[in-house]
Amino acid sequence: MPWWGICIIIFSTFIIFAIIHFAGKNKRPLRRALISMVSGLFTLLAVNLSGIFTGVFLPVSLLSLLVSIIGGIPGVTLMLGLNLFF
């Protein structure tokens, strides 16, 4: 996938999250959308850093990065659950 396609996916996700937060009557929908997306990335980072102690790692690929950005914390939790069963 070209880099501009990835940028379009991330930007459209940001806009959709901003619209959802605006509809939810949040005071700052753009900031809240950005926090939602960044929290998924930090959760993926935290899982991989704590993997030194727990032995649980998630491979960092384009798919896992997009799932963590789009899904946020529930997306990373879903990947951990799928990693447990498969």
Side-chain angles (χ1 to χ4, degrees), residues 2 6-7 14 16 23-24 27-28 33 40 44 53 64 68 77 79 84:
I6 296 168
C7 291
F14 175 73
I16 289 170
K27 291 182 182 177
R28 297 186 175 130
L44 182 65
F53 304 109
S64 65
S68 67
T77 306
M79 287 191 296
L84 178 68

Side-chain angles (χ1 to χ4, degrees), residues 29-77:
L30 295 177
R31 179 187 284 177
R32 189 67 197 141
L34 186 64
I35 289 172
S36 297
M37 294 172 72
V38 171
S39 68
L41 285 176
F42 281 134
T43 306
L44 182 65
L45 177 71
V47 166
N48 283 331
L49 287 178
S50 67
I52 298 168
F53 304 109
T54 62
V56 177
F57 291 100
L58 287 174
V60 178
S61 65
L62 179 61
L63 179 63
S64 65
L65 286 174
L66 286 176
V67 168
S68 67
I69 289 173
I70 293 171
I73 295 173
V76 175
T77 306

